[in-house]
Amino acid sequence: MQVQLVDLVKDFGQTVAVDHVNLTIKDGALTGLLGPSGCGKSTTLYMISGLEQPTSGKILFDGEDVTEVPAEERGIGLVFQNYALYPHMTVQQNIMFPLVNAKVKKEEALARCMEMAKLVKVDDLLKRKPSQLSGGQQQRVAIARALVKQPKVLLLDEPLSNLDARLRLEMREEIRRIQKETGVTTIFVTHDQEEAMSITDEIVLMKKGVIQQQCFPQRMYLEPANQFVAGFLGNPPMNFVEVQAEQGMIRLNEAQYPVQEDISGTVLAGIRPESFTLGEELTVLVESVEIRGRDQLITFTLNATPVHALIDSVHLVKAGAPLSLAIKGKRIYLFDKESGRRLNKEFKYE
Ligand SMILES: Nc1ncnc2c1ncn2[C@@H]1O[C@H](COP(=O)(O)OP(=O)(O)O)[C@@H](O)[C@H]1O
Ligand SMILES: [Mg+2]
């Protein structure tokens, strides 16, 4: 089901949590709602679910206005960070609960419970209580319970945040698989850019209640709309260095790089750490080297700003020595210093 937010606002008095959001969530897709803590992700999700009423604006499900429809009549499934399973009930009772509540016949409820338990792979744990399950297993049960009523939209609010690193990786793949198998329109809230990039069809990146960019993950990474998006995606993050753009040129240390002629004055040049490679374009003095395995993280100064580069570990790089570098594809992003707006045109995909 397609979900549309039209000029949606949530004002908590002191804070405008969601600030005139216009957004279309694609039917059948896994959409990541991404942004730093406090940017309005949960508030947006709760308005879609009906748990929170908007201050103004509309929510449409497949074109139908549901803004005034109560949560329980919207056909949504919700999963929270803290599982929120009923501790005194078994796994089976937890999964069946929404069906029992809706007075679905026992036989059918059992059959659907089994189907969901198989889907999320907890069918061998049905008699256990939540306290006898690992965090990942509890979250699987929570997902089964959210899906058992065959919701039109599945809403996940930071579902992996309470899991340890290894389980988080495993469960994000599982969420991807379950979403693919069911085809249910899913909105996945996270503050973790890597999580969002790895499993979603599309990312919506928010900052202070305002949508910054909406597109598929690779595109957001390669063509950020502004400095905030550029800095939010990627680890280690993009480097930003002040440069003077003049007559279609900028200078990085002693090296010159061509830029669009229509860009001039003091601007920010953004270069991803992995865009650096050994080459003959610019010389830097290596300040530190940190081996990370496949890559080494090298620190040096560009235009008086500390910069990180990721260079293949096979090259021997020494701290204190000069190093000749190049920028792959001359991929330098340019941003307005004040607004952070992207100034240069998109690069061609190679
Ligand atoms: N019930 C509330 N009352 C007052 N302020 C709130 C309430 N819920 C959220 N906020 C504020 O709204 C902003 C967005 O919160 P939230 O949607 O929870 O962000 P996120 O989920 O992205 O971390 C924050 O500044 C938060 O403090
Ligand atoms: Mg939140």
Side-chain angles (χ1 to χ4, degrees):
M1 191 180 60
Q2 187 195 65
V3 177
Q4 264 174 292
L5 308 182
V6 185
D7 215 20
L8 201 66
V9 175
K10 182 66 187 186
D11 191 336
F12 285 115
Q14 296 285 352
T15 336
V16 182
V18 175
D19 197 357
H20 298 278
V21 159
N22 288 286
L23 173 64
T24 301
I25 306 274
K26 289 199 186 88
D27 177 36
L30 174 51
T31 300
L33 193 49
L34 175 68
S37 181
C39 74
K41 305 181 295 294
S42 294
T43 305
T44 303
L45 206 72
Y46 299 158
M47 286 194 283
I48 295 170
S49 75
L51 293 178
E52 203 65 89
Q53 262 312 106
T55 307
S56 62
K58 276 190 211 164
I59 299 159
L60 311 179
F61 285 1
D62 273 345
E64 193 189 320
D65 190 341
V66 297
T67 320
E68 305 291 329
V69 175
E72 59 278 10
E73 289 167 30
R74 287 194 190 184
I76 47 110
L78 259 174
V79 177
F80 298 98
Q81 176 178 340
N82 56 5
Y83 326 127
L85 298 177
Y86 305 110
H88 58 286
M89 293 186 190
T90 62
V91 166
Q92 179 172 324
Q93 288 166 330
N94 264 286
I95 298 175
M96 278 173 64
F97 184 79
L99 299 178
V100 172
N101 228 13
K103 306 216 162 34
V104 173
K105 283 208 192 76
K106 184 119 193 267
E107 246 167 64
E108 192 193 334
L110 256 177
R112 273 161 66 180
C113 169
M114 281 309 293
E115 190 191 335
M116 282 304 122
K118 282 206 180 92
L119 175 74
V120 305
K121 299 181 179 163
V122 295
D123 45 321
D124 53 342
L125 305 170
L126 288 169
K127 301 294 171 222
R128 292 207 198 166
K129 294 273 176 66
S131 61
Q132 298 167 307
L133 303 176
S134 72
Q137 289 168 334
Q138 289 187 52
Q139 208 48 304
R140 286 172 191 267
V141 176
I143 293 168
R145 189 181 57 181
L147 286 173
V148 77
K149 275 182 84 179
Q150 293 157 333
K152 292 177 278 183
V153 192
L154 177 64
L155 305 175
L156 307 165
D157 192 4
E158 312 245 9
L160 310 180
S161 298
N162 281 355
L163 305 178
D164 65 44
R166 196 183 52 82
L167 263 181
R168 223 167 28 234
L169 287 182
E170 182 187 312
M171 280 306 290
R172 77 185 189 197
E173 294 309 318
E174 281 295 276
I175 286 175
R176 182 59 176 158
R177 177 185 64 80
I178 293 163
Q179 196 275 330
K180 281 267 180 233
E181 278 182 31
T182 58
V184 63
T185 305
T186 301
I187 307 175
F188 177 87
V189 162
T190 179
H191 63 271
D192 183 331
Q193 50 99 15
E194 203 190 303
E195 206 167 274
M197 278 198 287
S198 62
I199 62 165
T200 64
D201 297 307
E202 192 159 79
I203 296 179
V204 177
L205 181 52
M206 285 180 84
K207 175 195 172 191
K208 292 185 181 158
V210 178
I211 293 177
Q212 304 294 306
Q213 193 168 2
Q214 175 184 15
C215 57
F216 63 93
Q218 191 179 17
R219 181 175 179 79
M220 194 175 284
Y221 189 79
L222 292 173
E223 298 297 349
N226 61 44
Q227 191 197 351
F228 177 80
V229 179
F232 198 80
L233 298 187
N235 179 31
M238 187 184 283
N239 300 291
F240 297 107
V241 176
E242 228 175 71
V243 295
Q244 299 298 324
E246 266 170 349
Q247 294 168 343
M249 285 292 186
I250 58 164
R251 195 178 276 281
L252 293 170
N253 288 359
E254 85 294 354
Q256 285 206 324
Y257 283 88
V259 295
Q260 271 164 244
E261 302 243 343
D262 58 336
I263 300 170
S264 66
T266 310
V267 298
L268 282 179
I271 308 160
R272 291 212 179 271
E274 68 272 25
S275 289
F276 290 102
T277 183
L278 298 192
E280 300 297 324
E281 290 173 10
L282 76 159
T283 306
V284 301
L285 180 66
V286 177
E287 283 161 24
S288 69
V289 180
E290 181 190 316
I291 302 293
R292 296 191 144 205
R294 189 190 58 184
D295 302 308
Q296 49 194 332
L297 186 70
I298 295 170
T299 311
F300 51 88
T301 306
L302 263 191
N303 295 13
T305 307
V307 160
H308 294 298
L310 281 176
I311 307 284
D312 196 318
S313 288
V314 298
H315 305 293
L316 187 64
V317 178
K318 284 212 175 101
L323 183 67
S324 263
L325 293 173
I327 298 171
K328 290 180 208 164
K330 301 208 169 26
R331 190 174 273 270
I332 302 171
Y333 303 88
L334 296 175
F335 302 100
D336 184 84
K337 213 180 132 219
E338 309 305 324
S339 68
R341 190 170 57 87
R342 171 86 177 265
L343 296 172
N344 56 335
K345 292 197 190 85
E346 293 188 355
F347 296 98
K348 285 202 181 70
Y349 285 89
E350 283 130 28

